[in-house]
Amino acid sequence: MEELPKVARYKPYYHELEKGKRYRWCSCGLSKKQPFCDGSHKGTDFLPVVYEAVEEGEEVLFCGCKHSADQPFCDGAHNDLQDVYEEDDPNSEANLLIPVVAADAQGRAVLDGGCCVIQVSRIAKREEGVMKLGELISRASGAQHQSQFYAEVAKGQSPILSFGDSDVIIFVAQGNGELSISGRPFAVNPEQGVYIRPQEAFSLHNPHDEPMHLYISVCPLDVAPKYLAEMPGNFNDDFPERTIGIDPDKRQTMSNRFFQMLVDKTMGSKVVTQFIGDIPKSKAAMHRHLYEESIVVLKGEGYMWTENLKTKVTPGDVIFLPRKQIHSLECTSADGMMLVGVIYPGDNPSINY
Ligand code: FES
């Protein structure tokens, strides 16, 4: 029978590495010097896995549960070894002392480390034909990797938009219409993700009286939208699949939570990833990620917590989460919370530490 490794802990180990140094990661789980080998594997079937750091200061998450399929790194496997996601009591004595931050005049509630919750209805929006466009996340709001815009498209044809060399990932929150990506038409519907390759442009046609609502993520950031006079014909045919909707067969479990990848590497997006997920009524234990994340709350209410502050989140709000910021998203709705996230750089939303 195959010998199973011992779980050293249900979380990865964060390390900053020295370029060229060889690290011997413990695969058996018996070492007293986790996550590194101390020779305790002697007499077992396990051997240490050697990793040589490629960059100075390289940040890695070494697997702690020893069940990762991406050894020596964490792939989120620890979440599936437990029935319940690690939780925290929102009513503990310490948590009850944490104050609730109110949104400012621009609809932003700023928490520790620049994490913030943004009320989309209160941000400034610029009108361009039938489209209203507002900036949600940018370098000005503390982001280093991704920006995000909110767009409302009324009946008619929107302007043609381009974000230069950046990858563009859209989430259609409301309305149906036709999206042209560099001349290639796609039908778009609510709860769909859309992928636009660097250098391509896009425009939307809304044939209905109800406006379309869209969240537009741009990675890397610092690219202002360019309004083009003509649609370019540079659709990248190497990546023909550009829209993706919810498919229950593609749902992945993460303890008692679910998520489904929308735009990801299978569509050609290597370092920007969009996913949709739901979380039950709960408060996850505080944790952090190596990627920067934006989250749109689609359904359900709760609180976003950082070390010393928290703020209310309601449907339609956008959460910006800087890399390595400790946090927890609490769902207080009995029916759970549904959200869509974009992580960058990253391809696996189940990795946390
Ligand atoms: S002690 Fe675990 S692999 Fe060596």
Side-chain angles (χ1 to χ4, degrees):
M1 216 169 68
E2 195 195 346
E3 199 174 352
L4 286 175
K6 179 172 179 281
V7 174
R9 69 170 186 179
Y10 291 95
K11 253 179 184 219
Y13 298 88
Y14 171 84
H15 277 270
E16 289 174 22
L17 309 183
E18 288 170 44
K19 184 177 177 177
K21 188 167 168 182
R22 289 160 67 81
Y23 295 84
R24 297 172 78 238
W25 173 77
C26 163
S27 68
C28 69
L30 300 171
S31 171
K32 300 275 180 300
K33 290 190 183 156
Q34 292 298 334
F36 304 115
C37 173
D38 70 353
S40 303
H41 59 269
K42 239 178 228 148
T44 72
D45 293 342
F46 294 96
L47 287 172
V49 174
V50 176
Y51 177 71
E52 186 172 326
V54 184
E55 284 169 34
E56 186 57 33
E58 190 176 330
E59 294 178 301
V60 296
L61 295 176
F62 283 120
C63 169
C65 73
K66 314 297 173 184
H67 284 68
S68 171
D70 185 29
Q71 295 179 357
F73 306 119
C74 171
D75 72 349
H78 58 276
N79 294 308
D80 297 328
L81 299 175
Q82 294 169 297
D83 293 337
V84 176
Y85 202 77
E86 200 188 342
E87 287 180 13
D88 182 27
D89 176 10
N91 296 314
S92 69
E93 219 173 296
N95 281 339
L96 287 174
L97 292 175
I98 292 191
V100 180
V101 174
D104 63 16
Q106 284 76 43
R108 286 172 195 269
V110 181
L111 306 178
D112 297 295
C115 173
C116 65
V117 175
I118 309 149
Q119 295 173 6
V120 170
S121 58
R122 291 171 68 181
I123 61 163
K125 299 176 192 84
R126 183 179 146 191
E127 242 172 286
E128 210 49 63
V130 299
M131 186 170 78
K132 283 186 202 159
L133 195 69
E135 194 177 275
L136 289 162
I137 298 168
S138 66
R139 197 174 292 276
S141 55
Q144 291 181 22
H145 299 275
Q146 57 175 296
S147 50
Q148 193 178 65
F149 298 85
Y150 171 75
E152 259 177 50
V153 179
K155 189 173 185 174
Q157 186 71 43
S158 82
I160 302 165
L161 278 177
S162 160
F163 287 93
D165 285 335
S166 291
D167 282 281
V168 176
I169 294 186
I170 297 176
F171 183 75
V172 183
Q174 183 187 306
N176 326 70
E178 188 179 275
L179 173 80
S180 169
I181 305 177
S182 286
R184 182 73 55 94
F186 293 89
V188 285
N189 299 299
E191 297 185 343
Q192 260 186 350
V194 178
Y195 180 42
I196 294 159
R197 303 272 309 168
Q199 290 300 333
E200 292 176 337
F202 64 96
S203 73
L204 281 139
H205 179 249
N206 177 7
H208 307 290
D209 291 332
E210 282 297 299
M212 296 181 72
H213 294 180
L214 306 118
Y215 294 85
I216 304 171
S217 295
V218 179
C219 309
L221 77 184
D222 277 350
V223 185
K226 261 198 246 145
Y227 295 92
L228 307 185
E230 266 179 47
M231 179 65 83
N234 61 343
F235 182 82
N236 188 333
D237 264 317
D238 293 339
F239 304 92
E241 300 297 326
R242 299 306 186 87
T243 61
I244 178 162
I246 294 179
D247 178 351
D249 291 344
K250 291 189 178 154
R251 271 163 50 126
Q252 301 176 42
T253 53
M254 190 164 78
S255 304
N256 51 348
R257 298 162 171 237
F258 294 95
F259 70 95
Q260 182 204 321
M261 303 301 251
L262 292 175
V263 177
D264 69 353
K265 53 192 169 193
T266 62
M267 286 174 82
S269 179
K270 288 203 183 114
V271 287
V272 196
T273 304
Q274 182 192 47
F275 66 95
I276 191 161
D278 49 53
I279 58 177
K281 185 178 176 191
S282 61
K283 179 184 184 294
M286 297 294 258
H287 59 278
R288 48 189 122 194
H289 309 285
L290 282 184
Y291 47 75
E292 193 174 85
E293 185 171 18
S294 60
I295 297 167
V296 181
V297 178
L298 302 175
K299 195 193 87 182
E301 299 195 347
Y303 289 90
M304 185 68 181
W305 299 67
T306 52
E307 310 90 294
N308 306 302
L309 299 166
K310 68 178 173 186
T311 192
K312 181 106 183 129
V313 295
T314 56
D317 287 350
V318 168
I319 302 165
F320 168 65
L321 187 55
R323 288 181 74 232
K324 302 203 249 181
Q325 171 57 47
I326 191 153
H327 68 280
S328 164
L329 176 56
E330 177 193 3
C331 166
T332 53
S333 298
D335 291 353
M337 184 183 273
M338 188 170 166
L339 44 89
V340 64
V342 172
I343 63 173
Y344 177 68
D347 64 3
N348 185 342
S350 66
I351 299 177
N352 56 52
Y353 69 105

